[in-house]
Amino acid sequence: MACKDVQNQSRGPPGFLPGAPAPDRSFHLSYPHPANQVWQPALPRPGSLPPGLEYLSQLDLIIIHQQVELLGMILGTETSNKYEIKNSLGQRIYFAVEESICFNRTFCSTLRACTLKVMDNSGREVITVNRPLRCNSCWCPCYLQELEIQAPPGTIVGYVAQKWDPFLPKFTIQNANKEDILKIVGPCATCGCFGDVDFEVKTINEKLTIGKISKYWSGFVNDVFTNADNFGIHVPADLDVTVKAAMIGACFLFDFMFFEHSLAGL
């Protein structure tokens, strides 16, 4: 009987992994100190999965936490972004680092071309996200934002492409042949001043919502005076791991497009 009580206590609400905290505002606002960071233990890789993506195979919630750059906060300059990628238990599964030149960060700001390298707990690069310099305006239907997703590096598995819409931010998740798989539709207002901002993941015809990418509100002070953003990707656990990798890339893109700012711009 005692064993059953322990199991029932560790079982979260529907849609969350066993042991995950309840889906309230608190679970995504508190993060362990980097010195005490817990990595998810290594998993055996099924032969059909790209190396390193086995960590994504059973996840229905992926948490992405942007690390605060104190130097950038003090000087008001744009620094390379860094992200921790965690499972619902708060265990780190990946760490992502932006590679870009200072000129692009200074003069192209949030439109800058860059490469984001996603590494596992052994330091092996498992996902590469390439972002070229592109436009970002509802008045310009040409040359819109696009990401290329490689997993492992050198093997293209998908794309994230912005679609022109005069009212709503819309994107498609594409496979390696640039065939549309899923659509992502954001809200009309993405400021998120006093609440979460949800980008709904839908089927191509937009009739069925299968998940969402949420930018969590972390409080007025954090949102105004830091670049630190917190995101959650809610998807079906059995979704293809390459599509989950593309959605991680989409999360990076949304951070650049809608939520990136610095003290220099205030």
Side-chain angles (χ1 to χ4, degrees):
M1 180 64 70
C3 181
K4 291 183 179 179
D5 292 340
V6 172
Q7 290 178 351
N8 290 334
Q9 292 175 2
S10 65
R11 186 173 299 157
F16 285 77
L17 295 179
D24 55 20
R25 299 289 182 185
S26 62
F27 87 95
H28 49 67
L29 300 181
S30 177
Y31 294 91
H33 189 277
N36 301 321
Q37 179 62 57
V38 178
W39 286 83
Q40 176 175 319
L43 300 175
R45 180 174 68 90
S48 59
L49 297 183
L53 298 193
E54 60 272 11
Y55 295 101
L56 301 176
S57 59
Q58 298 299 319
L59 294 186
D60 61 357
L61 173 62
I62 303 169
I63 300 171
I64 298 180
H65 170 57
Q66 183 178 2
Q67 291 196 326
V68 178
E69 291 290 344
L70 295 178
L71 180 61
M73 289 175 55
I74 296 172
L75 300 179
T77 59
E78 194 67 61
T79 57
S80 297
N81 288 353
K82 298 179 179 65
Y83 303 88
E84 288 181 300
I85 303 171
K86 304 178 180 181
N87 60 19
S88 60
L89 300 177
Q91 298 172 322
R92 183 193 287 182
I93 55 176
Y94 301 122
F95 187 79
V97 179
E98 173 195 349
E99 288 190 353
S100 59
I101 61 176
C102 181
F103 179 89
N104 284 347
R105 292 195 302 272
T106 302
F107 295 100
C108 300
S109 188
T110 60
L111 294 177
R112 62 185 181 267
C114 64
T115 297
L116 289 122
K117 296 188 174 183
V118 182
M119 294 162 284
D120 64 10
N121 56 8
S122 66
R124 175 184 56 170
E125 184 179 349
V126 295
I127 303 172
T128 301
V129 179
N130 292 318
R131 184 198 188 199
L133 178 65
R134 294 246 178 171
C135 297
N136 178 24
S137 172
C138 62
W139 305 110
C140 180
C142 303
Y143 212 61
L144 296 176
Q145 293 291 306
E146 183 177 276
L147 295 182
E148 177 190 83
I149 313 298
Q150 300 178 7
T155 302
I156 298 175
V157 296
Y159 297 87
V160 179
Q162 183 183 11
K163 298 300 180 181
W164 184 82
D165 188 279
F167 305 109
L168 299 175
K170 292 187 176 183
F171 304 81
T172 56
I173 301 291
Q174 302 174 334
N175 62 17
N177 297 320
K178 289 199 170 185
E179 299 168 337
D180 293 346
I181 301 175
L182 295 171
K183 186 169 288 187
I184 303 176
V185 182
C188 181
T190 59
C191 61
C193 296
F194 299 101
D196 297 349
V197 179
D198 294 332
F199 294 78
E200 295 184 335
V201 181
K202 298 175 176 287
T203 54
I204 294 301
N205 57 17
E206 297 188 29
K207 292 184 178 180
L208 180 64
T209 299
I210 68 163
K212 64 180 180 178
I213 298 176
S214 299
K215 193 271 183 183
Y216 298 132
W217 185 60
S218 54
F220 178 80
V221 174
N222 281 341
D223 275 358
V224 172
F225 293 102
T226 75
N227 279 340
D229 294 317
N230 304 310
F231 296 87
I233 302 175
H234 302 257
V235 291
D238 59 352
L239 188 68
D240 189 280
V241 293
T242 59
V243 179
K244 291 181 182 179
M247 293 184 68
I248 291 175
C251 191
F252 296 152
L253 180 61
F254 297 163
D255 187 31
F256 280 109
M257 292 179 64
F258 305 113
F259 308 112
E260 184 100 346
H261 63 267
S262 68
L263 294 178
L266 293 178

